[in-house]
Amino acid sequence: MRILSDEMKNRFATGSTLCACWKLTSKSGEQSVLATDHDQPVEFRGETYLPGLALTSSSLRQTLSLSPEPLDLEGALSADGLSEADLRAGVWDGANVEIYHVDWAAPQHGLWMWGGYLTEISEAGQSFSVRLASKKSDLERTVGRVFARRCDAEFGDARCGVDVESAPQPRCDKRFATCRDVFSNAARFCGFPHMPGNDAVISGPGEKRDGSSREIER
């Protein structure tokens, strides 16, 4: 919940001196761009946002759901450090985006509105169409290992270790039997083929336990 002072509430209620300020930071963290849709530079939180933002966007949404809440933009974004060539080259793919509403007449009054990542860019003549995803999209990423019977390595990568060019077949179905019998690579199998199966999970007390639930997936 945001708590605003009475003065800030009044300024945001009228909206006559409000502007949008955008901060883009490349995924590498080595480049950043500060832009505003105001016609003069705006000093906000010790940083200078330069004119060069002319975008129309879908509504900014902040809800209690876990949906990534995408934001679509169309228009022109021309600012120091941001070129069409870089956009086409993917320099800004996955860039972190922070959006603020700031009172340009009294820039100490500003409010964070939205944060997310730049996910898609498409070119249309002299303008660009951009799609952003909110930071809730982080909740959809797989973090750490997934415990499963099948291998979670990519065929031929450093964890797998198989030389794809000399392999007996061009792909792997990620089963332990294939890794062992086809590629002779059982020692580097990145799955858990001996995990108990569903029978072991749902079996009750006193039921026969002969090890069959631990049978390797074939």
Side-chain angles (χ1 to χ4, degrees):
M1 180 178 180
R2 299 173 182 174
I3 301 177
L4 305 179
S5 65
D6 290 339
E7 182 179 1
M8 185 173 287
K9 288 179 182 178
N10 292 333
R11 289 180 178 274
F12 278 77
T14 59
S16 59
T17 56
L18 288 184
C19 65
C21 289
W22 288 60
K23 182 174 183 177
L24 282 74
T25 305
S26 64
K27 195 172 183 179
S28 66
E30 297 176 353
Q31 295 177 258
S32 62
V33 169
L34 306 174
T36 178
D37 59 2
H38 188 45
D39 58 3
Q40 297 293 325
V42 176
E43 296 286 341
F44 178 61
R45 294 184 177 178
E47 297 179 306
T48 302
Y49 291 76
L50 300 177
L53 184 65
L55 295 170
T56 58
S57 69
S58 57
S59 299
L60 294 174
R61 295 180 297 164
Q62 293 290 324
T63 69
L64 296 178
S65 75
L66 299 181
S67 168
E69 297 172 348
L71 175 64
D72 295 314
L73 308 171
E74 292 182 356
L77 178 57
S78 175
D80 290 344
L82 184 68
S83 67
E84 293 182 6
D86 285 345
L87 287 172
R88 295 193 189 99
V91 173
W92 296 98
D93 290 354
N96 184 71
V97 181
E98 302 287 343
I99 304 175
Y100 302 90
H101 280 178
V102 180
D103 185 340
W104 54 262
Q108 68 272 23
H109 297 292
L111 186 65
W112 180 91
M113 296 299 296
W114 195 88
Y117 305 99
L118 195 157
T119 59
E120 298 178 23
I121 301 177
S122 58
E123 185 178 1
Q126 298 299 314
S127 64
F128 287 87
S129 176
V130 177
R131 166 157 282 206
L132 309 176
S134 75
K135 291 187 176 180
K136 292 179 183 179
S137 60
D138 288 342
L139 299 175
E140 298 184 336
R141 293 188 298 112
T142 300
V143 179
R145 294 287 305 278
V146 174
F147 288 85
R149 288 191 171 191
R150 297 204 176 192
C151 181
D152 64 357
E154 293 297 326
F155 182 50
D157 69 6
R159 294 172 61 214
C160 169
V162 170
D163 184 352
V164 177
E165 294 184 359
S166 61
Q169 63 185 45
R171 60 180 60 86
C172 177
D173 60 11
K174 299 183 179 293
R175 295 186 304 122
F176 178 75
T178 303
C179 186
R180 178 192 60 200
D181 301 335
V182 177
F183 300 106
S184 301
N185 196 42
R188 302 189 67 166
F189 184 72
C190 295
F192 303 87
H194 299 285
M195 287 180 64
N198 291 334
D199 291 344
V201 175
I202 64 176
S203 63
E207 294 187 20
K208 182 179 180 181
R209 301 179 185 276
D210 58 3
S212 60
S213 64
R214 295 179 179 271
E215 183 178 354
I216 297 174
E217 182 186 51
R218 300 183 185 279

